[in-house]
Amino acid sequence: MKIVIAGTGYVGLVTGACLAEKNHNVICIDKDKNKIDKMKNGKSPIYEPGLEELMKKNYKNKKLDYSINYKDAYKDADIIMITVGTPEKIDGSANLDFVYEVAKQIADSVIRSCIVVIKSTVPIGTNDKIEKYINKNVKGNINIEVVSNPEFLSQGTAIKDTLDAPRVIIGTESENAKKKMKELYKDFDLPLVFMSRRSSEMVKYASNDFLALKISYINEIANLCEIVGANIEEVTKGMSYDDRIGSKFLKAGCGYGGSCFPKDTKALHYLATQDGYNLKTIEATISINKKQKIILIEKAKKKFNSFKGLNVAILGLSFKPNTDDLREAPSIENIEILLDEGAKIKVYDPKAMDNLKKLYPKELEYKSSPQEALIDSEICFIFTEWKEIRDIKPSEYKKLMKNAIVYDGRNIYDINEMKENKIEYYSIGRN
Ligand code: UDX
């Protein structure tokens, strides 16, 4: 099948590389010529373990190509997949400008009927609207069928999440589209779950928002644990024996970030409000997370009257390990507050420092190891649980820092070990 992918962000590029790996002929379209040239040279514009290998292999064996020329690519495609971003607008709603831009290009380019698959996370009802829009604007006797096929990959494990997905959600009621989607996924050997387009769109929001809710719930319980003298790790361990609850997404910390949970909670809440329904659980999830992201600073404020002139070490910047993505990362908000108050900040992250330099070219000192960031620091904040950061021995904090005071937003260390090493240690939900 000739598959064309519109947009080469996380979802598009990973989907393209995985479909090529499963024997389809894939062309990835992007409007950025530089990006296209880089990808042709085997360079991924994003850091994602295993992605460059797949890109290089499938480009070499001519299964995967990249192009800026959408017209040529779309005209005789079997399937066009829309994988562009749907960023958050100021009011919290999803911005569909990029989706409509691609829909317009498809209508202008196709010369035969084909399937358009929307992988981008879009508000309920968007697939219906896009199908109408394309068919209204397309020239000649052509029928475009739009299928909802949301993406559930996580950054850092995106390739595995795609090749080995627990399920593939397919929203369509058309027999022809079902047949084409079965063909698309025939070599994947994954459970295909068919449903209506609106249900499929909702599965994506409901899943992401449920996971975000689970995190905010456990973060609130963690905060309460601190007050009542319980330990969140013992509590979640105890809860997880009940397989109705499970053990995943119950890790308390300094809040969730990334490109999906913050945006998708706000978008679903907005969408519900527009329809006159107040989604109270999601409203609470959003506001709990907002507070949780600055919980370490709040704790530190109890000890330090001011951060002015204080030597601060920040370890971990990305919103989670194994990605260079800083979108909605708790580190950013905390850096803003610390800079505002006049702190002197040294940062370290294995992958995300280049991205942070674009935001703060001069305001921060970028260090090439966590140890360098710790030297002579008076306080340390940990925002991401990279292995390299987990591997720092408690004794190193004591040895390198001026004052060994550590605020850990990811509960990396054993409290007793930190005590034994005479480190003043604050974490989440543990006393
Ligand atoms: C998420 C979904 O997992 C994925 O299915 C969807 O397609 C996109 O959004 P991603 O944003 O890549 O993926 O990361 P994820 O691993 O889900 O983590 C999101 C955030 O939640 C991170 O900031 C992480 O630190 C935080 N988190 C996760 C917790 O605080 N506690 C947990 O127990 C799990």
Side-chain angles (χ1 to χ4, degrees):
M1 280 179 127
K2 181 182 170 187
I3 317 293
V4 184
I5 312 257
T8 57
Y10 271 98
V11 174
L13 201 48
V14 170
T15 305
C18 290
L19 286 169
E21 183 69 11
K22 294 290 181 185
N23 302 315
H24 290 295
N25 293 312
V26 181
I27 303 176
C28 292
I29 303 292
D30 204 284
K31 48 187 172 189
D32 182 343
K33 171 92 172 60
N34 267 341
K35 213 170 157 187
I36 296 284
D37 291 342
K38 266 193 191 160
M39 293 188 289
K40 284 190 186 238
N41 285 318
K43 286 264 162 277
S44 167
I46 47 169
Y47 171 73
E48 181 60 39
L51 180 58
E52 273 190 359
E53 287 78 354
L54 274 194
M55 288 169 67
K56 279 184 201 148
K57 177 183 157 196
N58 289 294
Y59 182 69
K60 205 170 147 208
N61 67 21
K62 297 196 167 23
K63 288 273 157 208
L64 179 63
D65 203 353
Y66 311 94
S67 174
I68 197 161
N69 187 349
Y70 67 82
K71 232 179 163 73
D72 213 37
Y74 292 161
K75 70 174 187 215
D76 58 349
D78 294 300
I79 292 184
I80 302 170
M81 302 182 107
I82 303 183
T83 60
V84 293
T86 50
E88 185 184 316
K89 286 204 223 167
I90 281 190
D91 60 8
S93 64
N95 182 341
L96 297 177
D97 289 354
F98 298 131
V99 176
Y100 273 96
E101 191 181 323
V102 176
K104 184 178 182 313
Q105 291 171 342
I106 293 173
D108 288 345
S109 314
V110 285
I111 55 169
R112 63 178 171 104
S113 300
C114 70
I115 305 286
V116 170
V117 172
I118 301 190
K119 271 205 162 291
S120 308
T121 304
V122 291
I124 291 86
T126 304
N127 278 258
D128 296 355
K129 288 184 191 152
I130 295 289
E131 186 174 273
K132 261 197 201 135
Y133 176 86
I134 300 178
N135 283 319
K136 198 174 140 214
N137 290 290
V138 83
K139 284 157 213 81
N141 188 21
I142 292 171
N143 182 39
I144 302 297
E145 291 186 285
V146 172
V147 176
S148 164
N149 176 214
E151 182 51 61
F152 297 93
L153 60 80
S154 295
Q155 289 172 221
T157 53
I159 302 289
K160 187 182 173 297
D161 292 345
T162 306
L163 293 177
D164 200 12
R167 46 56 179 110
V168 177
I169 301 293
I170 301 173
T172 178
E173 276 147 34
S174 144
E175 287 309 317
N176 174 52
K178 275 185 201 163
K179 206 174 109 210
K180 292 276 162 55
M181 293 305 284
K182 279 184 191 159
E183 199 181 332
L184 179 70
Y185 283 107
K186 78 174 172 4
D187 289 339
F188 280 75
D189 193 23
L190 300 170
L192 305 185
V193 185
F194 290 93
M195 61 185 71
S196 76
R197 284 197 292 224
R198 283 172 186 251
S199 298
S200 165
E201 290 168 326
M202 184 58 112
V203 171
K204 171 68 187 190
Y205 278 113
S207 303
N208 269 1
D209 288 19
F210 180 70
L211 294 172
L213 168 80
K214 208 172 171 191
I215 298 169
S216 276
Y217 173 74
I218 212 61
N219 282 340
E220 273 216 303
I221 297 294
N223 297 342
L224 186 59
C225 281
E226 285 178 25
I227 298 168
V228 299
N231 177 315
I232 191 63
E233 275 165 3
E234 291 173 355
V235 172
T236 47
K237 187 175 171 199
M239 288 165 71
S240 70
Y241 279 84
D242 185 334
D243 58 16
R244 292 172 304 175
I245 297 172
S247 59
K248 292 183 180 151
F249 279 74
L250 282 182
K251 201 154 182 350
C254 55
Y256 61 76
S259 63
C260 292
F261 290 170
K263 160 176 91 70
D264 294 348
T265 43
K266 288 181 206 155
L268 192 66
H269 183 257
Y270 177 88
L271 189 151
T273 313
Q274 290 301 97
D275 280 330
Y277 191 84
N278 185 16
L279 214 47
K280 286 190 192 155
T281 46
I282 302 309
E283 192 172 66
T285 301
I286 296 165
S287 82
I288 293 162
N289 197 57
K290 193 165 179 239
K291 273 177 77 182
Q292 200 70 14
K293 278 169 96 172
I294 52 165
I295 198 158
L296 293 186
I297 289 270
E298 295 299 327
K299 283 177 192 243
K301 271 188 184 155
K302 289 185 189 145
K303 184 172 176 70
F304 297 87
N305 287 331
S306 155
F307 298 121
K308 194 167 169 45
L310 200 70
N311 290 304
V312 179
I314 292 187
L315 304 183
L317 301 166
S318 54
F319 80 93
K320 67 173 192 177
N322 299 319
T323 176
D324 61 358
D325 200 332
L326 288 171
R327 282 176 287 179
E328 302 276 346
S331 64
I332 304 286
E333 246 164 284
N334 288 280
I335 286 172
E336 277 289 308
I337 297 172
L338 289 164
L339 282 177
D340 265 4
E341 295 203 9
K344 290 190 259 168
I345 308 175
K346 288 180 274 182
V347 299
Y348 175 76
D349 186 284
K351 294 283 174 203
M353 288 201 290
D354 285 348
N355 282 340
L356 195 70
K357 275 181 199 162
K358 293 177 202 155
L359 299 175
Y360 303 105
K362 297 209 178 80
E363 300 84 341
L364 311 170
E365 270 186 63
Y366 294 88
K367 295 295 179 189
S368 52
S369 72
Q371 285 76 10
E372 268 185 53
L374 289 174
I375 292 172
D376 290 335
S377 293
E378 295 160 281
I379 180 170
C380 167
F381 290 104
I382 300 172
F383 292 115
T384 326
E385 66 277 33
W386 284 93
K387 181 170 183 308
E388 205 179 321
I389 296 171
R390 304 181 93 105
D391 283 348
I392 305 169
K393 291 193 187 72
S395 57
E396 292 182 83
Y397 291 93
K398 187 74 195 158
K399 198 175 91 196
L400 299 169
M401 292 178 74
K402 193 167 162 197
N403 301 325
I405 304 176
V406 177
Y407 290 82
D408 175 3
R410 300 294 172 190
N411 290 353
I412 289 180
Y413 293 103
D414 182 272
I415 310 180
N416 292 327
E417 208 184 338
M418 293 302 257
K419 244 183 228 151
E420 280 157 24
N421 280 277
K422 304 207 163 34
I423 296 159
E424 205 174 314
Y425 179 62
Y426 302 88
S427 55
I428 311 284
R430 310 183 298 174
N431 290 290

